[in-house]
PDB file of all heavy atoms in Angstrom:
ATOM      1  N   HIS A 244     -17.518 -40.189  16.471  1.00 98.00           N
ATOM      2  CA  HIS A 244     -17.443 -39.524  15.222  1.00 98.00           C
ATOM      3  C   HIS A 244     -16.068 -38.972  14.937  1.00 98.00           C
ATOM      4  O   HIS A 244     -15.623 -38.864  13.778  1.00 98.00           O
ATOM      5  CB  HIS A 244     -18.551 -38.437  15.097  1.00 98.00           C
ATOM      6  CG  HIS A 244     -19.773 -38.946  14.546  1.00 98.00           C
ATOM      7  ND1 HIS A 244     -20.164 -38.772  13.225  1.00 98.00           N
ATOM      8  CD2 HIS A 244     -20.824 -39.641  15.132  1.00 98.00           C
ATOM      9  CE1 HIS A 244     -21.317 -39.322  12.985  1.00 98.00           C
ATOM     10  NE2 HIS A 244     -21.718 -39.894  14.128  1.00 98.00           N
ATOM     11  N   LEU A 245     -15.364 -38.524  15.970  1.00 98.00           N
ATOM     12  CA  LEU A 245     -14.016 -38.039  15.819  1.00 98.00           C
ATOM     13  C   LEU A 245     -13.036 -39.153  15.507  1.00 98.00           C
ATOM     14  O   LEU A 245     -12.109 -39.053  14.729  1.00 98.00           O
ATOM     15  CB  LEU A 245     -13.549 -37.248  17.097  1.00 98.00           C
ATOM     16  CG  LEU A 245     -14.214 -35.944  17.354  1.00 98.00           C
ATOM     17  CD1 LEU A 245     -13.840 -35.427  18.722  1.00 98.00           C
ATOM     18  CD2 LEU A 245     -13.845 -34.895  16.317  1.00 98.00           C
ATOM     19  N   PHE A 246     -13.256 -40.337  16.231  1.00 98.00           N
ATOM     20  CA  PHE A 246     -12.267 -41.452  16.081  1.00 98.00           C
ATOM     21  C   PHE A 246     -13.000 -42.790  15.863  1.00 98.00           C
ATOM     22  O   PHE A 246     -13.018 -43.644  16.690  1.00 98.00           O
ATOM     23  CB  PHE A 246     -11.498 -41.546  17.395  1.00 98.00           C
ATOM     24  CG  PHE A 246     -10.930 -40.340  17.891  1.00 98.00           C
ATOM     25  CD1 PHE A 246     -11.221 -39.765  19.106  1.00 98.00           C
ATOM     26  CD2 PHE A 246      -9.946 -39.566  17.121  1.00 98.00           C
ATOM     27  CE1 PHE A 246     -10.740 -38.578  19.632  1.00 98.00           C
ATOM     28  CE2 PHE A 246      -9.399 -38.428  17.639  1.00 98.00           C
ATOM     29  CZ  PHE A 246      -9.741 -37.936  18.813  1.00 98.00           C
ATOM     30  N   PRO A 247     -13.697 -42.939  14.686  1.00 97.00           N
ATOM     31  CA  PRO A 247     -14.497 -44.161  14.474  1.00 97.00           C
ATOM     32  C   PRO A 247     -13.694 -45.434  14.420  1.00 97.00           C
ATOM     33  O   PRO A 247     -14.290 -46.488  14.672  1.00 97.00           O
ATOM     34  CB  PRO A 247     -15.183 -43.808  13.115  1.00 97.00           C
ATOM     35  CG  PRO A 247     -14.266 -42.842  12.433  1.00 97.00           C
ATOM     36  CD  PRO A 247     -13.727 -42.022  13.545  1.00 97.00           C
ATOM     37  N   ASP A 248     -12.382 -45.366  14.183  1.00 96.00           N
ATOM     38  CA  ASP A 248     -11.578 -46.571  14.098  1.00 96.00           C
ATOM     39  C   ASP A 248     -10.747 -46.835  15.343  1.00 96.00           C
ATOM     40  O   ASP A 248      -9.937 -47.741  15.330  1.00 96.00           O
ATOM     41  CB  ASP A 248     -10.740 -46.591  12.819  1.00 96.00           C
ATOM     42  CG  ASP A 248      -9.771 -45.382  12.712  1.00 96.00           C
ATOM     43  OD1 ASP A 248      -9.908 -44.441  13.615  1.00 96.00           O
ATOM     44  OD2 ASP A 248      -8.877 -45.426  11.909  1.00 96.00           O
ATOM     45  N   LEU A 249     -10.930 -46.052  16.408  1.00 98.00           N
ATOM     46  CA  LEU A 249     -10.285 -46.351  17.625  1.00 98.00           C
ATOM     47  C   LEU A 249     -11.210 -47.257  18.484  1.00 98.00           C
ATOM     48  O   LEU A 249     -12.448 -47.053  18.488  1.00 98.00           O
ATOM     49  CB  LEU A 249      -9.952 -45.071  18.439  1.00 98.00           C
ATOM     50  CG  LEU A 249      -8.819 -44.202  17.958  1.00 98.00           C
ATOM     51  CD1 LEU A 249      -8.608 -43.049  18.926  1.00 98.00           C
ATOM     52  CD2 LEU A 249      -7.517 -45.000  17.788  1.00 98.00           C
ATOM     53  N   PRO A 250     -10.708 -48.224  19.269  1.00 98.00           N
ATOM     54  CA  PRO A 250     -11.535 -49.088  20.117  1.00 98.00           C
ATOM     55  C   PRO A 250     -12.495 -48.289  20.911  1.00 98.00           C
ATOM     56  O   PRO A 250     -12.088 -47.310  21.685  1.00 98.00           O
ATOM     57  CB  PRO A 250     -10.552 -49.862  20.886  1.00 98.00           C
ATOM     58  CG  PRO A 250      -9.345 -49.952  20.023  1.00 98.00           C
ATOM     59  CD  PRO A 250      -9.289 -48.643  19.325  1.00 98.00           C
ATOM     60  N   ALA A 251     -13.734 -48.558  20.922  1.00 98.00           N
ATOM     61  CA  ALA A 251     -14.758 -47.699  21.568  1.00 98.00           C
ATOM     62  C   ALA A 251     -14.631 -47.729  23.042  1.00 98.00           C
ATOM     63  O   ALA A 251     -15.097 -46.825  23.757  1.00 98.00           O
ATOM     64  CB  ALA A 251     -16.147 -48.183  21.175  1.00 98.00           C
ATOM     65  N   ASN A 252     -14.018 -48.755  23.635  1.00 97.00           N
ATOM     66  CA  ASN A 252     -13.780 -48.815  25.104  1.00 97.00           C
ATOM     67  C   ASN A 252     -12.872 -47.703  25.544  1.00 97.00           C
ATOM     68  O   ASN A 252     -12.803 -47.374  26.772  1.00 97.00           O
ATOM     69  CB  ASN A 252     -13.203 -50.167  25.502  1.00 97.00           C
ATOM     70  CG  ASN A 252     -11.946 -50.523  24.826  1.00 97.00           C
ATOM     71  OD1 ASN A 252     -11.983 -50.876  23.642  1.00 97.00           O
ATOM     72  ND2 ASN A 252     -10.821 -50.515  25.500  1.00 97.00           N
ATOM     73  N   ARG A 253     -12.135 -47.077  24.661  1.00 98.00           N
ATOM     74  CA  ARG A 253     -11.270 -45.957  24.976  1.00 98.00           C
ATOM     75  C   ARG A 253     -12.002 -44.609  25.115  1.00 98.00           C
ATOM     76  O   ARG A 253     -11.430 -43.666  25.595  1.00 98.00           O
ATOM     77  CB  ARG A 253     -10.182 -45.819  23.937  1.00 98.00           C
ATOM     78  CG  ARG A 253      -9.118 -46.964  23.924  1.00 98.00           C
ATOM     79  CD  ARG A 253      -8.425 -47.011  25.199  1.00 98.00           C
ATOM     80  NE  ARG A 253      -7.260 -48.027  25.181  1.00 98.00           N
ATOM     81  CZ  ARG A 253      -5.990 -47.673  25.312  1.00 98.00           C
ATOM     82  NH1 ARG A 253      -5.622 -46.403  25.479  1.00 98.00           N
ATOM     83  NH2 ARG A 253      -5.109 -48.636  25.288  1.00 98.00           N
ATOM     84  N   TYR A 254     -13.255 -44.537  24.625  1.00 98.00           N
ATOM     85  CA  TYR A 254     -13.945 -43.233  24.538  1.00 98.00           C
ATOM     86  C   TYR A 254     -14.167 -42.649  25.903  1.00 98.00           C
ATOM     87  O   TYR A 254     -14.136 -41.423  26.088  1.00 98.00           O
ATOM     88  CB  TYR A 254     -15.289 -43.400  23.808  1.00 98.00           C
ATOM     89  CG  TYR A 254     -15.185 -43.787  22.344  1.00 98.00           C
ATOM     90  CD1 TYR A 254     -16.225 -44.392  21.697  1.00 98.00           C
ATOM     91  CD2 TYR A 254     -14.008 -43.542  21.628  1.00 98.00           C
ATOM     92  CE1 TYR A 254     -16.135 -44.732  20.383  1.00 98.00           C
ATOM     93  CE2 TYR A 254     -13.983 -43.951  20.290  1.00 98.00           C
ATOM     94  CZ  TYR A 254     -15.055 -44.483  19.612  1.00 98.00           C
ATOM     95  OH  TYR A 254     -14.960 -44.885  18.343  1.00 98.00           O
ATOM     96  N   VAL A 255     -14.397 -43.504  26.933  1.00 97.00           N
ATOM     97  CA  VAL A 255     -14.693 -42.992  28.262  1.00 97.00           C
ATOM     98  C   VAL A 255     -13.515 -42.222  28.797  1.00 97.00           C
ATOM     99  O   VAL A 255     -13.694 -41.208  29.608  1.00 97.00           O
ATOM    100  CB  VAL A 255     -15.072 -44.136  29.184  1.00 97.00           C
ATOM    101  CG1 VAL A 255     -13.928 -45.101  29.423  1.00 97.00           C
ATOM    102  CG2 VAL A 255     -15.591 -43.607  30.500  1.00 97.00           C
ATOM    103  N   ASP A 256     -12.337 -42.594  28.396  1.00 96.00           N
ATOM    104  CA  ASP A 256     -11.166 -41.864  28.897  1.00 96.00           C
ATOM    105  C   ASP A 256     -10.803 -40.687  27.997  1.00 96.00           C
ATOM    106  O   ASP A 256     -10.205 -39.698  28.553  1.00 96.00           O
ATOM    107  CB  ASP A 256      -9.871 -42.799  28.885  1.00 96.00           C
ATOM    108  CG  ASP A 256     -10.044 -43.981  29.888  1.00 96.00           C
ATOM    109  OD1 ASP A 256     -10.607 -43.712  30.978  1.00 96.00           O
ATOM    110  OD2 ASP A 256      -9.655 -45.070  29.568  1.00 96.00           O
ATOM    111  N   ILE A 257     -11.132 -40.713  26.760  1.00 97.00           N
ATOM    112  CA  ILE A 257     -10.940 -39.675  25.825  1.00 97.00           C
ATOM    113  C   ILE A 257     -11.862 -38.493  26.020  1.00 97.00           C
ATOM    114  O   ILE A 257     -11.517 -37.341  25.928  1.00 97.00           O
ATOM    115  CB  ILE A 257     -11.051 -40.182  24.317  1.00 97.00           C
ATOM    116  CG1 ILE A 257      -9.972 -41.171  24.032  1.00 97.00           C
ATOM    117  CG2 ILE A 257     -10.992 -38.998  23.335  1.00 97.00           C
ATOM    118  CD1 ILE A 257     -10.169 -41.944  22.701  1.00 97.00           C
ATOM    119  N   ALA A 258     -13.097 -38.820  26.395  1.00 98.00           N
ATOM    120  CA  ALA A 258     -14.154 -37.805  26.454  1.00 98.00           C
ATOM    121  C   ALA A 258     -13.864 -36.598  27.254  1.00 98.00           C
ATOM    122  O   ALA A 258     -14.092 -35.437  26.788  1.00 98.00           O
ATOM    123  CB  ALA A 258     -15.473 -38.448  26.978  1.00 98.00           C
ATOM    124  N   PRO A 259     -13.298 -36.740  28.522  1.00 97.00           N
ATOM    125  CA  PRO A 259     -13.014 -35.419  29.253  1.00 97.00           C
ATOM    126  C   PRO A 259     -12.002 -34.564  28.573  1.00 97.00           C
ATOM    127  O   PRO A 259     -12.125 -33.280  28.623  1.00 97.00           O
ATOM    128  CB  PRO A 259     -12.360 -35.999  30.573  1.00 97.00           C
ATOM    129  CG  PRO A 259     -12.971 -37.400  30.677  1.00 97.00           C
ATOM    130  CD  PRO A 259     -13.050 -37.861  29.273  1.00 97.00           C
ATOM    131  N   GLU A 260     -11.027 -35.140  27.801  1.00 98.00           N
ATOM    132  CA  GLU A 260     -10.103 -34.249  27.082  1.00 98.00           C
ATOM    133  C   GLU A 260     -10.725 -33.608  25.916  1.00 98.00           C
ATOM    134  O   GLU A 260     -10.441 -32.411  25.681  1.00 98.00           O
ATOM    135  CB  GLU A 260      -8.896 -35.157  26.611  1.00 98.00           C
ATOM    136  CG  GLU A 260      -8.093 -35.751  27.774  1.00 98.00           C
ATOM    137  CD  GLU A 260      -6.798 -36.446  27.303  1.00 98.00           C
ATOM    138  OE1 GLU A 260      -6.041 -35.679  26.642  1.00 98.00           O
ATOM    139  OE2 GLU A 260      -6.620 -37.586  27.561  1.00 98.00           O
ATOM    140  N   ILE A 261     -11.643 -34.311  25.197  1.00 98.00           N
ATOM    141  CA  ILE A 261     -12.321 -33.669  24.109  1.00 98.00           C
ATOM    142  C   ILE A 261     -13.220 -32.543  24.619  1.00 98.00           C
ATOM    143  O   ILE A 261     -13.282 -31.472  23.990  1.00 98.00           O
ATOM    144  CB  ILE A 261     -13.180 -34.732  23.341  1.00 98.00           C
ATOM    145  CG1 ILE A 261     -12.263 -35.746  22.643  1.00 98.00           C
ATOM    146  CG2 ILE A 261     -14.115 -34.050  22.316  1.00 98.00           C
ATOM    147  CD1 ILE A 261     -11.349 -35.136  21.533  1.00 98.00           C
ATOM    148  N   GLN A 262     -13.923 -32.771  25.727  1.00 97.00           N
ATOM    149  CA  GLN A 262     -14.759 -31.775  26.314  1.00 97.00           C
ATOM    150  C   GLN A 262     -13.966 -30.505  26.707  1.00 97.00           C
ATOM    151  O   GLN A 262     -14.386 -29.327  26.471  1.00 97.00           O
ATOM    152  CB  GLN A 262     -15.456 -32.362  27.527  1.00 97.00           C
ATOM    153  CG  GLN A 262     -16.561 -31.411  28.020  1.00 97.00           C
ATOM    154  CD  GLN A 262     -17.423 -32.099  29.079  1.00 97.00           C
ATOM    155  OE1 GLN A 262     -17.151 -33.170  29.530  1.00 97.00           O
ATOM    156  NE2 GLN A 262     -18.544 -31.429  29.413  1.00 97.00           N
ATOM    157  N   GLU A 263     -12.803 -30.772  27.238  1.00 97.00           N
ATOM    158  CA  GLU A 263     -11.972 -29.621  27.608  1.00 97.00           C
ATOM    159  C   GLU A 263     -11.440 -28.854  26.400  1.00 97.00           C
ATOM    160  O   GLU A 263     -11.372 -27.584  26.445  1.00 97.00           O
ATOM    161  CB  GLU A 263     -10.778 -30.136  28.457  1.00 97.00           C
ATOM    162  CG  GLU A 263      -9.934 -29.034  29.197  1.00 97.00           C
ATOM    163  CD  GLU A 263      -8.911 -28.480  28.326  1.00 97.00           C
ATOM    164  OE1 GLU A 263      -8.405 -29.180  27.385  1.00 97.00           O
ATOM    165  OE2 GLU A 263      -8.557 -27.232  28.514  1.00 97.00           O
ATOM    166  N   ILE A 264     -11.116 -29.538  25.375  1.00 97.00           N
ATOM    167  CA  ILE A 264     -10.603 -28.898  24.110  1.00 97.00           C
ATOM    168  C   ILE A 264     -11.806 -28.040  23.526  1.00 97.00           C
ATOM    169  O   ILE A 264     -11.567 -26.898  23.147  1.00 97.00           O
ATOM    170  CB  ILE A 264     -10.134 -29.915  23.046  1.00 97.00           C
ATOM    171  CG1 ILE A 264      -8.885 -30.545  23.595  1.00 97.00           C
ATOM    172  CG2 ILE A 264      -9.940 -29.278  21.701  1.00 97.00           C
ATOM    173  CD1 ILE A 264      -8.381 -31.697  22.706  1.00 97.00           C
ATOM    174  N   CYS A 265     -12.979 -28.680  23.486  1.00 96.00           N
ATOM    175  CA  CYS A 265     -14.133 -27.959  22.950  1.00 96.00           C
ATOM    176  C   CYS A 265     -14.389 -26.650  23.779  1.00 96.00           C
ATOM    177  O   CYS A 265     -14.721 -25.590  23.242  1.00 96.00           O
ATOM    178  CB  CYS A 265     -15.346 -28.800  22.954  1.00 96.00           C
ATOM    179  SG  CYS A 265     -15.337 -30.139  21.658  1.00 96.00           S
ATOM    180  N   LYS A 266     -14.287 -26.763  25.076  1.00 95.00           N
ATOM    181  CA  LYS A 266     -14.531 -25.607  25.987  1.00 95.00           C
ATOM    182  C   LYS A 266     -13.535 -24.492  25.658  1.00 95.00           C
ATOM    183  O   LYS A 266     -13.920 -23.305  25.582  1.00 95.00           O
ATOM    184  CB  LYS A 266     -14.446 -25.998  27.407  1.00 95.00           C
ATOM    185  CG  LYS A 266     -14.740 -24.880  28.400  1.00 95.00           C
ATOM    186  CD  LYS A 266     -14.696 -25.417  29.850  1.00 95.00           C
ATOM    187  CE  LYS A 266     -15.040 -24.284  30.825  1.00 95.00           C
ATOM    188  NZ  LYS A 266     -15.003 -24.785  32.250  1.00 95.00           N
ATOM    189  N   ARG A 267     -12.308 -24.850  25.498  1.00 96.00           N
ATOM    190  CA  ARG A 267     -11.285 -23.811  25.227  1.00 96.00           C
ATOM    191  C   ARG A 267     -11.460 -23.122  23.890  1.00 96.00           C
ATOM    192  O   ARG A 267     -11.177 -21.917  23.691  1.00 96.00           O
ATOM    193  CB  ARG A 267      -9.864 -24.409  25.292  1.00 96.00           C
ATOM    194  CG  ARG A 267      -9.390 -24.582  26.686  1.00 96.00           C
ATOM    195  CD  ARG A 267      -7.855 -24.941  26.713  1.00 96.00           C
ATOM    196  NE  ARG A 267      -7.533 -26.292  26.311  1.00 96.00           N
ATOM    197  CZ  ARG A 267      -7.041 -26.557  25.176  1.00 96.00           C
ATOM    198  NH1 ARG A 267      -6.707 -25.612  24.277  1.00 96.00           N
ATOM    199  NH2 ARG A 267      -6.763 -27.828  24.865  1.00 96.00           N
TER     200      ARG A 267
END
């Protein structure tokens, strides 16, 4: 939902960073 036009195979690497941003 944040990046619908980025290749979905990238989400697994992006997810930890998004989770960390949300936590902060």
Side-chain angles (χ1 to χ4, degrees):
H244 270 261
L245 291 171
F246 311 119
D248 59 349
L249 287 183
N252 55 287
R253 291 296 186 118
Y254 296 157
V255 65
D256 296 322
I257 295 172
E260 297 189 58
I261 293 296
Q262 189 169 11
E263 192 274 332
I264 292 172
C265 288
K266 183 178 181 180
R267 281 193 285 108

